[in-house]
Amino acid sequence: MGQLYSPYRSTPRDRRTLGGIRRWLTAAAGALALTGSLVAVGPQASAAGLTQVTGFGSNPGNLSMYAYAPDGLPEDAPIVVALHGCTQSASDYYAHSGWPKFADQYKFALVLPQTTSANNANSCFNWFDSADSTRGKGEALSIKQMVDTAVARYGSDTGRVYITGLSAGAGMTANMLAAYPDVFAGGSIDSGLPASCATSVSAAYTCMYSPPDKTPAQWGDLVRAAAPSGTTHWPRVAIWQGTSDTTVAPANATELRDQWTNVWDIDQTPSRTENLPGNTTLSQYDDASGNPAVSVYSISGMAHGLAVDPGSGAEQCGTTGTYYLDTICSSYHTARFWGLDGGGSGQPPGALPAPTGLTVGGTTDTTVSLSWDAVADAASYNVYRDGTKVGTTESASYTDTGLATGSTHTYTVAAVDSAGAAGAVSSSVTATTTGSTPTCFTANNYQHTAAGRAYQSGGQTYATGSGQAMGLYNTFITHTLRQTSPGYYVVADAGC
């Protein structure tokens, strides 16, 4: 995608028949692609440290699997699956994206699937083809088989598997998150499109240049339809988009935001915004527990590509190249969003000691106030809620806002020196916001829906807030729902 593509796969039976069609489509696509010539397909994954893994399953999508495991990889380490864009390769993405740096620092395994011109004329993942991008089929199943193989090979934590991709790889990433929410804990869609935006090449171009303006519920329904029936747990999603992208219109980021916030049953108004380096604005959308479920990174002036920031700094990564653009290290910020740093510091510990005396000064229905002992030579402090950075302050105190009523969170703090390096993380404290005692309601699915405690979609009923499946939308099925916070209900049939 993004760069150039043909929708047709090539098999021994139909290769000759489709050859002329491919050539025609490639020429047509060229007229619609980025200004400039088509870049050459990269080398077939020979970068140092990157190895090919064979025999990873039935491989119905005809993909190749490449992997990187840093020295000292522990048991139960995470896995990051990284999907290249059109005209690229696994080694190209490995060399430019910056992900190997953080695999070394944070100790996780990398899996880099690779497609070729045998699948698509321009080596794109076939994100727009339901035969390749839905659960249990084609390329999607091949990628799932790679995950299973990596888990067995490295003894990885199945609860910490993540997927990211650029352009066509981002389109496939969105579809993988929708099709396999039971596999991926999080995803990052870089210059990509909403899940199930297209099922044909003509629709693909429409999505790229002028995405359908669906309602959040309509976008969310596409994800719910792709996921296994009864899914209630969804991946945390990062969305990266340049405002000057003429290949994948920036409107796609808005539609992606609408899609995944609806899946999480949260509002499309950001819980907070933050200015980051590289003319980047971060907008975060919290779940009912006050943790970021969707993060949108909008990079002012960036064209189509993956954001990198070459250099040796803690927040820098990658190298520039075709579709690798010098703005901000997206891999660093994505790794932090997923919590891959392990301790919540978001970078290897600097020289400053861990703050001591971290205490909870008070709570309200929506806030937690913290204080700690000042650290000598600290320029500022990073504050982490449940392992994710939520704020920076120059004083030895901080008030976390916008939290859910009656929600419990764990906090840590790290001192940051004048060079921007965060030191060791403090001991944690736990705080619970105030609020009413959870209330329980027993009624049939129709009554729950009428009262706003549940909602119906496609004839099925789901608990408001948690999205837990409750069965058919009728008067014959009865459940007990427990309200744990305003607008958030969980099924409590076993006892309330």
Side-chain angles (χ1 to χ4, degrees), residues 131-436:
D132 270 317
S133 61
T134 55
R135 186 180 180 96
K137 295 183 179 181
E139 294 176 0
L141 180 55
S142 292
I143 295 169
K144 167 61 165 57
Q145 291 173 343
M146 293 183 199
V147 171
D148 293 339
T149 298
V151 168
R153 185 183 181 99
Y154 304 120
S156 302
D157 183 352
T158 57
R160 291 192 294 162
V161 179
Y162 304 87
I163 186 168
T164 182
L166 165 64
S167 194
M172 183 64 81
T173 292
N175 288 333
M176 291 297 293
L177 292 170
Y180 293 100
D182 51 334
V183 173
F184 299 105
S188 180
I189 302 165
D190 297 70
S191 302
L193 308 100
S196 299
C197 187
T199 56
S200 69
V201 71
S202 59
Y205 280 119
T206 298
C207 290
M208 290 164 59
Y209 298 117
S210 181
D213 186 18
K214 298 180 185 291
T215 66
Q218 288 173 326
W219 282 120
D221 284 345
L222 291 175
V223 173
R224 287 182 282 270
S229 178
T231 297
T232 59
H233 183 75
W234 300 101
R236 298 185 182 275
V237 179
I239 300 161
W240 290 84
Q241 180 68 49
T243 64
S244 297
D245 191 334
T246 58
T247 299
V248 174
N252 279 285
T254 301
E255 305 304 328
L256 275 163
R257 186 272 319 269
D258 289 353
Q259 182 171 63
W260 289 100
T261 52
N262 180 263
V263 167
W264 276 87
D265 194 27
I266 55 181
D267 194 73
Q268 283 74 56
T269 301
S271 304
R272 70 189 65 80
T273 59
E274 179 181 354
N275 292 324
L276 300 178
N279 296 319
T280 304
T281 300
L282 166 61
S283 301
Q284 292 186 310
Y285 303 80
D286 288 351
D287 62 15
S289 298
N291 297 313
V294 178
S295 290
V296 179
Y297 301 81
S298 177
I299 307 174
S300 179
M302 192 181 86
H304 185 67
L306 182 74
V308 298
D309 183 17
S312 59
E315 299 186 11
Q316 292 182 291
C317 74
T319 57
T320 57
T322 305
Y323 306 118
Y324 299 98
L325 307 180
D326 188 356
T327 49
I328 183 175
C329 175
S330 58
S331 299
Y332 167 79
H333 289 277
T334 298
R336 286 197 350 175
F337 171 64
W338 290 339
L340 292 179
D341 51 47
S345 65
Q347 58 188 35
L352 294 180
T356 58
L358 178 62
T359 58
V360 178
T363 61
T364 68
D365 283 4
T366 59
T367 67
V368 171
S369 297
L370 305 167
S371 64
W372 54 90
D373 298 330
V375 174
D377 299 323
S380 61
Y381 301 87
N382 289 341
V383 180
Y384 307 94
R385 180 208 311 135
D386 302 323
T388 299
K389 180 183 173 183
V390 293
T392 299
T393 177
E394 295 182 358
S395 66
S397 63
Y398 181 81
T399 298
D400 194 17
T401 61
L403 304 174
T405 300
S407 59
T408 299
H409 305 282
T410 299
Y411 291 89
T412 55
V413 180
V416 180
D417 64 22
S418 58
V425 179
S426 70
S427 299
S428 63
V429 294
T430 300
T432 301
T433 57
T434 57
S436 58

